[in-house]
Every structure is written in structure tokens, then in C-alpha cells.
Amino acid sequence: MQKTALVCGAGGFIGSHLVNRLKREGFWVRGVDLKFPQFAPTQADDFLVADLRDPANCRAVVDRCFDEVYQLAADMGGAGFVFTGENDADIMHNSALINLNMLDVCYKRNIKRIFYSSSACIYPEYNQLNPDDPKTSEESAYPAAPDSEYGWEKLFSERLYLTYQRNHGLTVRVARYHNIFGPEGSWRDGREKAPAALCRKIAEVADGGTIDVWGDGKQTRSFLYVDECLEGTLRLMRSDWTGPVNIGSEEMVSINQLAQIIMEIAGKQVNLNHIPGPLGVRGRNSDNHLIMQKLGWKPTEPLKDGLAKTYPWIKAQVEAFKKK
Ligand code: NAD
């Protein structure tokens, strides 16, 4: 029997890549989103354009007993979307409704296994003040103090999923993604994250030119290429491990270092003009002890390899956009 999967958020960055990966594995895949993927046709066997804030739509989408359900739909974006404060009500309202509805429908339709994409943004700000030594081990999520409403909604929804596992026997898997990047992600719509934004700025400017960078650029992060994110997601989904687990890279860099790596790939040297902007925590890196212990696997691809695949895609978008 051909296995079946439902991908919620299949019109988005990670969801559209996940559909492709599941198709390569031989699944029959239904995708659902508010929109079709922006950059390439969906490979889903069936794609429904539907608003998952509406429980009737969720019931229509979950009309059969899928082997695997992946819930990635959320109202989200990079620092320019999440940390300005302007989108807080939408983020909390929209994403919480999607999770409340989808989870309950999956339980009532006897779905056996559901994956939920949480975020490193759930970790407390007080452990991420030192850019050289941030703490993100899974148990350090509590006492909770995320620095954004996006993080609070993710934490609430993690707990929601785990209650359905405890009280209703639904098999739930929760990943805390750390800054996923790659081709076919947002690059200029206001929701792009640092790797895409810096690739775009460096692609747009001439050698020796200047680009703006938010903050002093000494804030640290790690970035995970989308293919490794999917590898971790599928391994977690099919494992016996229940608790939330980090899926991220351990290769921590400052934003200035990230820009330097992209410049090397682009073959350009540009000046960084540091300006005030929304920043998030001072430092963050993925702690991969638990994933290694529970799944016997962790991401290993060097950041520069993922950027070498992403920069040419963004450069091509920049050039096509200029022509338009
Ligand atoms: P994305 O914005 O590209 O994809 C999310 C998709 O959800 C979008 O296509 C959007 O249209 C869809 N959506 C939003 N509201 C909807 C609704 N009411 N009904 C149906 N669909 C709706 O984001 P992404 O980067 O692909 O992230 C996927 C998931 O992973 C999200 O839950 C996100 O919070 C989580 N995550 C991502 C990252 C990252 O770095 N990309 C990091 C941590 C967590």
C-alpha cells in the first residue's frame, strides 16, 4: 500500500521542500496552504488552497487516515516580521487557531502520528544574552521567557500537542527548528531571514559597495540548510522519541561572519553599514546533544556549503526582478 502524508503549510518554504522529499520517498502527498508555492509548481498529488484557521476547512482537509501529518502552517517571518511588535496579535491569533483546529481534527479522525514545527524562539532570553555562550538545551526552555510573542505561541502549541499525546494517545513529534535557509524561501517580501536578506543585499550591490546590516553584527546565530532540516524532521517523525528536540546547526557565527562567507561565495568585498533594527536575542546556537542521543544523528553540513547552494538562487531572483 502506498503511504500517504498531509503537509500543512505546503505552499511555504520548508513545506514545499518537504512535499518534494516525501514524493521522492514514494508517498502520496496532499498539500494545504493559503497559497501555492511561490517559486516552483507543487509536486503534491493533491493541493488544497484553504485557511486552516477555519475548523470546517481542517475537517475537509483531513478526510482520510493519513500515515503522517506534518503541521508547518504558521504566520511567521524573520526579525523584520517577528520582532517589530506590529504583527504580534496576528501571529498569536492565526497560528494558535491553526494548531488548535488541526490537532483536534487529527485526533477525531484517528490520525496516528503528527509532527509539529516549533522554534528555537521558545528559549528564554536570559540564557541568550552572551553571544559567545548561549544555552538552548531542550530542558532549559523553563522557566519560560521567550523574547517574542511568536516564541510564546510556539511554546503554548508545543504544550498543546503534548497534551493530546498524554490525554488522547495521539503520537506527537515536536521539533524546535533553528533558522532554516535555502533556495525557494522568502528573499524580499519582508519575511526573509538573515541569510536570504544578506544574500540579496550582496547580490544587489557592486564590488566595493556598502550594505546595511541591523545591529552591530556581533549577534550570533546558527543556520541550517533546508535538506538537513528535512532529514532531521523525517528521522524524528519516525523515531520513538516524544519530547521536543532541537533541529539546528551547531556552527555558530556572528552576522558579520555570515556576511563575510556570503561575500566570499559572491566573489565580492562589500562594506557593512550597521544601523538600528529589530534584532532578537544576542546569541543563539543549536544544542545537539539530545538529538544525537535520541536519534543517533545530527546535522553536519558546513554553513558555507548551504550558502553556496542558496546564493546563486537568490542572485538569479535579484536579476530576474531587476529585468521585470
Ligand atoms: P513559511 O512562512 O514559508 O511557511 C508557512 C506557511 O503557512 C505559509 O506558506 C503560509 O501561507 C501558511 N499559512 C499561514 N497561515 C495559514 C492558514 N491560516 N491556513 C493555511 N496555511 C497558512 O515558513 P517556513 O519557513 O516554511 O516555516 C515552516 C514552519 O517552521 C513554521 O511553523 C515556522 O514557524 C517553523 N519554523 C521555521 C523556521 C525557519 O527558520 N524557517 C524556524 C523555526 C520554526
Side-chain angles (χ1 to χ4, degrees):
M1 276 278 281
Q2 188 178 25
K3 286 204 163 182
T4 57
L6 171 65
V7 178
C8 306
F13 166 51
I14 303 172
S16 57
H17 283 277
L18 177 59
V19 167
N20 300 350
R21 170 77 193 251
L22 290 166
K23 284 306 301 168
R24 284 201 297 279
E25 290 194 357
F27 275 72
W28 184 92
V29 182
R30 169 173 290 165
V32 56
D33 202 299
L34 289 173
K35 58 176 176 62
F36 284 96
Q38 198 181 341
F39 303 108
T42 181
Q43 289 183 26
D45 298 276
D46 183 33
F47 193 100
L48 304 180
V49 175
D51 187 339
L52 298 174
R53 290 172 299 181
D54 181 342
N57 287 341
C58 296
R59 284 192 292 274
V61 163
V62 191
D63 65 353
R64 66 194 72 189
C65 203
F66 292 95
D67 294 301
E68 298 181 356
V69 172
Y70 295 87
Q71 200 321 75
L72 281 78
D75 207 352
M76 65 92 64
F81 183 77
V82 165
F83 294 117
T84 60
E86 288 162 18
N87 304 302
D88 287 350
D90 283 348
I91 289 170
M92 294 200 92
H93 175 87
N94 294 340
S95 297
L97 273 184
I98 296 169
N99 287 313
L100 286 161
N101 291 336
M102 272 306 300
L103 186 56
D104 199 56
V105 165
C106 283
Y107 157 58
K108 288 179 176 149
R109 293 270 157 103
N110 288 328
I111 295 294
K112 294 287 175 291
R113 198 168 274 253
I114 183 164
F115 170 89
Y116 172 57
S117 53
S118 182
S119 167
C121 289
I122 62 99
Y123 287 112
E125 188 173 18
Y126 58 76
N127 278 334
Q128 301 173 91
L129 299 173
N130 179 352
D132 298 322
D133 189 25
K135 184 173 179 184
T136 61
S137 50
E138 284 78 354
E139 87 296 340
S140 73
Y142 298 97
D147 70 329
S148 66
E149 302 304 346
Y150 170 76
W152 278 107
E153 189 282 326
K154 287 288 187 196
L155 201 55
F156 161 77
S157 289
E158 278 191 5
R159 300 185 68 93
L160 176 73
Y161 278 79
L162 294 171
T163 60
Y164 271 66
Q165 172 148 298
R166 283 202 305 277
N167 296 166
H168 297 316
L170 190 63
T171 297
V172 161
R173 297 288 176 262
V174 177
R176 293 176 180 160
Y177 287 162
H178 289 242
N179 285 311
I180 314 305
F181 75 99
E184 299 180 13
S186 281
W187 63 280
R188 67 171 298 277
D189 63 359
R191 293 188 183 228
E192 64 275 16
K193 297 188 162 201
L198 288 173
C199 284
R200 184 197 71 228
K201 290 176 186 184
I202 291 170
E204 281 171 346
V205 76
D207 193 15
T210 300
I211 62 166
D212 289 341
V213 173
W214 289 342
D216 61 9
K218 293 179 184 155
Q219 63 274 33
T220 54
R221 292 291 184 277
S222 73
F223 301 95
L224 183 68
Y225 190 67
V226 64
D227 287 355
E228 282 205 303
C229 166
L230 297 181
E231 183 64 33
T233 298
L234 297 188
R235 283 174 184 261
L236 174 62
M237 179 64 149
R238 295 159 192 174
S239 75
D240 294 332
W241 177 244
T242 291
V245 65
N246 291 327
I247 296 188
S249 163
E250 289 172 312
E251 187 184 346
M252 188 170 77
V253 292
S254 69
I255 297 301
N256 290 337
Q257 287 170 326
L258 175 67
Q260 192 55 46
I261 299 171
I262 299 170
M263 285 183 226
E264 281 158 25
I265 291 166
K268 288 180 189 175
Q269 194 59 42
V270 309
N271 304 302
L272 305 182
N273 178 37
H274 295 286
I275 58 165
L279 294 176
V281 294
R282 194 66 186 141
R284 177 173 292 155
N285 193 13
S286 183
D287 182 321
N288 286 351
H289 288 95
L290 188 68
I291 191 169
M292 196 58 204
Q293 188 192 339
K294 299 298 175 190
L295 305 188
W297 175 91
K298 64 179 181 176
T300 52
E301 186 177 79
L303 173 60
K304 68 173 175 17
D305 292 4
L307 288 170
K309 293 180 256 186
T310 306
Y311 179 78
W313 182 82
I314 293 188
K315 184 167 174 270
Q317 304 304 306
V318 167
E319 284 162 6
F321 184 74
K322 256 197 234 157
K323 273 191 202 141
K324 266 198 246 163

